[in-house]
Amino acid sequence: MKQWFSKWVGWVRVIALMGLLFGLVIRIGDPHPLATLRNASFDLYHQSKPRDLTPMPVAIVDVDDRSIEEIGQWPWPRSYIADLVTRATAQGAVAIGFDIIFSEPDRLSPAQIAEDNPDMPGDLATRLAQLPDNDTKLAQAFAGARVIVGQTSVRNVAGNRAEKRDMADAAHALIGPDPMPYLMKFPDIVQNLPALEANAAGRGMFATRPDADGVYRRVPLVMSVQGQIRLGLTPELLRVATGGGPFAVRTNDAGVEGVVLARQLIPTARDGTVWPYLTPSAQSRYVSAADLLRDRVPDGRLAGHLVLIGTSAIGLEDFRATPLGVAMAGVEIHAQVLENIMAQTLLIRPNYTIAIELVTTLVLCLLVIIFAPALSARLLISSSVLLLAGYVAVSYYLFYDKRILLDPSFPVVAVTTAVMLISTVNYLREERKRREIRSAFGQYVSPDLVDQLSRNQGSLTLGGESRQLTLLFSDVRGFTAIAEEFRDDPEALTGLMNRFLTILSNAIMEQKGTIDKFMGDAVMAFWNAPLDNHDHPRAACRAALKMIADVESFNKERLRAQKRKRVGQKRQRSEKRQPWVSVHKINVGIGINTGQCVVGNMGSDTRFDYTALGDPVNVASRLEGQSRYYGAAIILGQATAREVMNDFAVMELDVIRVVGKEVPETIYALLGDETLRQDPRFQTLWAVNNEMLAAYRSRSWDKAEDLLAEVSTSLGALDISLQEYLDMYATRIADLRATPPDAGWDGVFSSTRK
């Protein structure tokens, strides 16, 4: 039972499943970070394809900056507002909605002016008091038209008003369960003057709330105000314009489904809100209030239109952040909602959408959890990317073609987290295998040492001697990916590494080197001990070049064998797979350094190794690690380079402080043997590279950048790839140009990576 669980279920899958369930619970709670990420995704959709602007019978009479400049400062006398209503009705407006509230008496009414100016002559004050009140004029204008007054909310029941009035009831019907638990709730409202409310054909709320990031993405179509169900301003305007009948709220077990208005169902989210599908702000929607008051509006401009009266003047601050990434006048957002309702172009996010998203996330994550442990790292990543790209493509298609909002963010985050978790566990497992390989090969010693010990058994004692050594460290790049391919066949991995290490060992021993130890896929070797070798720097370089050449031949041989295997399997399906065949190319990095070391038998009385110790050993190891960052297969320390640069193609790379050392080290790339050293093209490369480094260290950034391009050309002429080296210096030059170093900068690079 335990073996079955380990093979087919495993702790990796159990942990991933527990994490998945936890993530689904978090999504149901919908914390702010998830909601913000989801909303940002919808904003990107919205910005990539805003709604097309099409002519609609909706217009805005706008108190804009030009109107303020021409008519006078705001607020205007209510008689001007009455004139706007009268003129818009005369133009043929079907109904008029106000995105403005008139909650206080007009202080510009004639009687109020007389009261506010006690020094006014008595006869003038009496005559002013006898003139019609501005609010009365506005109420009379309302009575002669279809006007919907706007109402807004206050923070609490008490508000900040001296008087609280009950609001008029709104006739409606309920289809399904009670919607009140789901609706946005406003405990109280600010109403217009009683005379205005009494003469209005309808009353609509223009209160709404932004999302946590301050963006207005949703507008409540229906809401709870003082415990009553009320319509927003735009649906109330449409209700009055289409006859003024009652509306209905349809609900299901998930919440509000929609509002039935003007004999059509307007779908909403579960809380009664809708997602407007916006166009960029369009001047074609606007009619300046000044133009309407001064009879400059063409006849018929407002005929058959639903008209909203609001403000966009800068000083009145009625602008709202929108999903399009730009602020828009609040009255235009109302106008666009009205256009969406009339043209049926609202964005759709039904109340059951979260269930679809949860099920989709569950299915995608289960696919990853089931198959990921059996896939290679490359196949896992590529298949996950394709899976997620497919889901995001479906989500965007639903928005683009159907206007349906399906969250693309949470499933992507959940699946990515699952892949990272499983990949991390797989990586740790392969690292454990690598340590086991290092431990197994660490029991062996070099043939030269065995030969010496057989002649002098008395040397099997602890201790060492000081010698000038040249040390070589090599390691395989991307060993985890190679091990991942053989996860089900460890014997094949062992066979592959045995063949590979044999190739490296042969190259070292041909040059009379001593193999200190194998550490999994890594090799440590040195020259001039235990056997004397006065040419040890050159011997190490010859061995390194042969190692690189032999590994390249080994890769080609494996590729040919892979092709032969495939042909053979077509003929004999039962043929056993060759354990050493792999599709992964093996790349080796090598570091070489020369210096004074202590070499001898090191360890305990019961277990010891013949090895070398000293600072040059550590530097050689660090140089091997740097090879991956500079793109050079072989990197030499400065002591080795000084000895061999007249006989080998050696190019300076940098002056660095390797990890763990304070003294800088000049490092070099070993590119080839004496034949390449004598090639005129290499001579050109060597000279240009030295000039580039000199310009870089003298802070001549432009010159260094130009010379770096010449270095790239010279490398291309020799068919040598050092792209990482070129990219590194290009990045450094750009960074130093942008942020110049201080006066004490010496051009030394301090490496933080081994």
Side-chain angles (χ1 to χ4, degrees):
M1 182 68 180
K2 183 177 180 181
Q3 291 180 346
W4 178 89
F5 176 85
S6 177
K7 180 177 180 181
W8 297 106
V9 180
W11 294 111
V12 176
R13 291 188 173 96
V14 171
I15 294 172
L17 284 171
M18 293 175 63
L20 171 59
L21 295 177
F22 179 74
L24 295 178
V25 171
I26 293 294
R27 173 60 185 90
I28 293 172
D30 201 23
H32 281 166
L34 286 181
T36 300
L37 182 60
R38 179 174 64 253
N39 288 334
S41 302
F42 292 155
D43 290 352
L44 287 175
Y45 285 2
H46 210 146
Q47 293 165 23
S48 70
K49 187 183 181 295
R51 178 169 62 92
D52 295 330
L53 179 63
T54 54
M56 296 290 293
V58 177
I60 300 169
V61 174
D62 183 25
V63 181
D64 55 9
D65 291 311
R66 185 161 61 87
S67 298
I68 298 293
E69 181 179 353
E70 186 172 341
I71 304 300
Q73 70 180 23
W74 186 263
W76 292 342
R78 300 278 165 80
S79 57
Y80 288 18
I81 307 300
D83 199 11
L84 285 176
V85 173
T86 302
R87 291 174 181 273
T89 303
Q91 277 266 344
V94 176
I96 302 170
F98 274 91
D99 187 31
I100 304 170
I101 195 163
F102 307 105
S103 60
E104 305 294 339
D106 186 5
R107 297 188 62 83
L108 299 177
S109 291
Q112 188 65 47
I113 292 176
E115 183 180 342
D116 291 343
N117 295 273
D119 296 333
M120 183 180 294
D123 58 337
L124 180 58
T126 301
R127 292 175 61 187
L128 285 174
Q130 293 173 350
L131 293 175
D133 182 80
N134 287 350
D135 291 319
T136 302
K137 289 182 180 179
L138 183 57
Q140 291 172 350
F142 281 8
R146 289 178 175 175
V147 174
I148 294 83
V149 292
Q151 300 173 336
T152 189
S153 67
V154 293
R155 290 187 177 88
N156 50 53
V157 173
N160 55 4
R161 296 173 292 132
E163 176 187 1
K164 175 180 179 293
R165 303 197 311 269
D166 293 333
M167 64 181 186
D169 192 15
H172 65 276
L174 300 179
I175 306 173
D178 182 12
M180 293 297 285
Y182 305 101
L183 299 177
M184 278 190 181
K185 294 176 175 58
F186 298 96
D188 196 12
I189 59 173
V190 176
Q191 302 184 61
N192 297 272
L193 295 173
L196 301 180
E197 295 270 347
N199 285 278
R203 299 151 198 86
M205 293 284 295
F206 55 76
T208 187
R209 293 177 183 140
D211 289 320
D213 56 0
V215 177
Y216 288 81
R217 297 182 178 87
R218 297 177 294 160
V219 175
L221 209 63
V222 63
M223 65 204 79
S224 170
V225 181
Q226 290 184 343
Q228 297 184 29
I229 295 177
R230 297 295 302 274
L231 286 177
L233 178 62
T234 49
E236 177 70 0
L237 178 61
L238 185 61
R239 184 189 71 82
V240 171
T242 55
F247 64 94
V249 180
R250 177 182 289 182
T251 57
N252 55 30
D253 292 337
V256 179
E257 184 179 350
V259 175
V260 180
L261 187 65
R263 291 185 291 184
Q264 69 167 314
L265 175 66
I266 306 171
T268 68
R270 66 191 302 266
D271 60 355
T273 60
V274 293
W275 295 69
Y277 191 12
L278 304 177
T279 71
S281 182
Q283 196 59 39
S284 60
R285 294 189 178 97
Y286 288 88
V287 172
S288 174
D291 290 341
L292 188 59
L293 290 173
R294 297 291 188 260
D295 288 327
R296 294 195 294 259
V297 177
D299 291 340
R301 170 66 180 85
L302 302 180
H305 281 59
L306 303 181
V307 175
L308 286 160
I309 299 179
T311 63
S312 70
I314 297 299
L316 304 183
E317 300 298 334
D318 186 28
F319 280 81
R320 302 288 183 265
T322 69
L324 294 179
V326 294
M328 186 178 293
V331 66
E332 186 171 8
I333 296 176
H334 289 304
Q336 296 217 42
V337 172
L338 192 55
E339 292 174 357
N340 287 159
I341 295 173
M342 296 172 66
Q344 298 183 350
T345 55
L346 285 165
L347 296 176
I348 304 168
R349 185 161 171 79
N351 53 21
Y352 54 80
T353 309
I354 184 174
I356 296 176
E357 293 165 356
L358 290 173
V359 171
T360 302
T361 301
L362 179 64
V363 171
L364 293 178
C365 288
L366 284 177
L367 288 175
V368 171
I369 292 170
I370 292 172
F371 293 105
L375 299 177
S376 66
R378 180 178 298 176
L379 186 57
L380 171 60
I381 294 173
S382 59
S383 59
S384 299
V385 169
L386 290 175
L387 194 67
L388 295 178
Y391 171 75
V392 173
V394 170
S395 172
Y396 187 74
Y397 167 77
L398 291 175
F399 163 79
Y400 188 92
D401 195 64
K402 309 295 182 183
R403 305 187 319 281
I404 296 174
L405 295 175
L406 183 67
D407 181 14
S409 60
F410 180 71
V412 170
V413 170
V415 171
T416 302
T417 302
V419 170
M420 292 176 62
L421 174 63
I422 294 173
S423 298
T424 299
V425 174
N426 285 344
Y427 175 79
L428 293 175
R429 180 187 299 149
E430 295 308 322
E431 282 295 302
R432 177 174 56 82
K433 292 180 180 178
R434 182 170 176 169
R435 288 193 298 269
E436 291 173 354
I437 293 174
R438 289 178 184 271
S439 176
F441 278 94
Q443 301 178 35
Y444 300 95
V445 296
S446 71
D448 288 328
L449 180 58
V450 173
D451 183 62
Q452 185 191 55
L453 293 176
S454 65
R455 295 194 304 267
N456 184 10
Q457 297 183 8
S459 62
L460 280 171
T461 57
L462 291 177
E465 60 177 324
S466 178
R467 278 202 181 214
Q468 184 84 2
L469 300 181
T470 295
L471 304 113
L472 179 149
F473 279 80
S474 76
D475 199 4
V476 174
R477 302 284 172 257
F479 178 81
T480 300
I482 298 173
E484 176 74 12
E485 184 185 358
F486 293 92
R487 62 189 176 279
D488 297 324
D489 194 356
E491 293 181 1
L493 178 61
T494 301
L496 173 66
M497 295 311 299
N498 283 341
R499 289 173 56 91
F500 168 73
L501 293 173
T502 298
I503 290 173
L504 300 188
S505 301
N506 289 340
I508 293 170
M509 290 186 290
E510 283 180 15
Q511 296 299 322
K512 307 301 182 184
T514 299
I515 298 175
D516 185 304
K517 57 177 69 72
F518 297 103
M519 297 162 287
D521 57 290
V523 178
M524 173 184 172
F526 49 81
W527 279 259
N528 203 33
L531 304 178
D532 293 335
N533 185 341
H534 300 294
D535 198 32
H536 52 90
R538 293 171 184 79
C541 291
R542 287 191 292 268
L545 291 172
K546 182 168 177 54
M547 290 165 69
I548 297 298
D550 290 350
V551 169
E552 185 63 26
S553 299
F554 180 52
N555 285 326
K556 293 178 181 179
E557 178 189 346
R558 290 167 53 232
L559 182 59
R560 289 192 296 268
Q562 176 73 8
K563 294 178 180 179
R564 289 196 302 269
K565 182 185 86 67
R566 289 175 180 172
V567 173
Q569 285 182 342
K570 290 180 180 179
R571 296 174 180 173
Q572 295 181 344
R573 293 293 179 181
S574 61
E575 181 180 351
K576 185 178 180 182
R577 178 181 178 179
Q578 298 295 328
W580 51 270
V581 175
S582 168
V583 296
H584 287 283
K585 180 180 179 181
I586 297 177
N587 293 308
V588 179
I590 297 174
I592 300 175
N593 191 42
T594 301
Q596 201 73 19
C597 303
V598 174
V599 61
N601 295 322
M602 311 290 178
S604 68
D605 290 334
T606 57
R607 175 71 170 91
F608 53 82
D609 292 319
Y610 186 84
T611 187
L613 298 176
D615 184 67
V617 179
N618 298 329
V619 172
S621 175
R622 297 291 186 264
L623 295 181
E624 178 275 319
Q626 294 299 316
S627 64
R628 74 186 68 185
Y629 308 120
Y630 287 86
I634 307 170
I635 292 186
L636 308 180
Q638 59 192 25
T640 307
R642 282 196 299 266
E643 293 290 329
V644 304
M645 61 174 48
N646 292 328
D647 303 307
F648 292 87
V650 174
M651 185 182 86
E652 183 178 349
L653 296 176
D654 206 351
V655 180
I656 67 171
R657 292 184 182 90
V658 297
V659 176
K661 282 182 63 67
E662 292 297 326
V663 179
E665 178 85 7
T666 304
I667 62 173
Y668 300 78
L670 176 61
L671 302 179
D673 57 12
E674 185 176 0
T675 301
L676 181 61
R677 174 72 177 80
Q678 300 300 326
D679 193 319
R681 294 173 298 176
F682 173 78
Q683 299 291 338
T684 300
L685 168 63
W686 183 84
V688 171
N689 183 69
N690 286 347
E691 288 183 42
M692 185 276 292
L693 293 175
Y696 167 79
R697 290 161 188 164
S698 64
R699 310 180 189 222
S700 301
W701 311 128
D702 293 339
K703 181 178 180 181
E705 197 170 58
D706 294 339
L707 290 168
L708 188 64
E710 294 186 32
V711 172
S712 177
T713 302
S714 299
L715 286 168
L718 290 168
D719 196 23
I720 295 175
S721 176
L722 283 178
Q723 192 59 46
E724 290 86 347
Y725 171 75
L726 299 172
D727 292 343
M728 177 183 294
Y729 271 98
T731 301
R732 285 191 198 173
I733 292 169
D735 291 343
L736 290 170
R737 180 188 286 119
T739 307
D742 56 34
W745 182 71
D746 56 2
V748 177
F749 175 73
S750 296
S751 175
T752 59
R753 300 178 292 185
K754 296 182 179 180

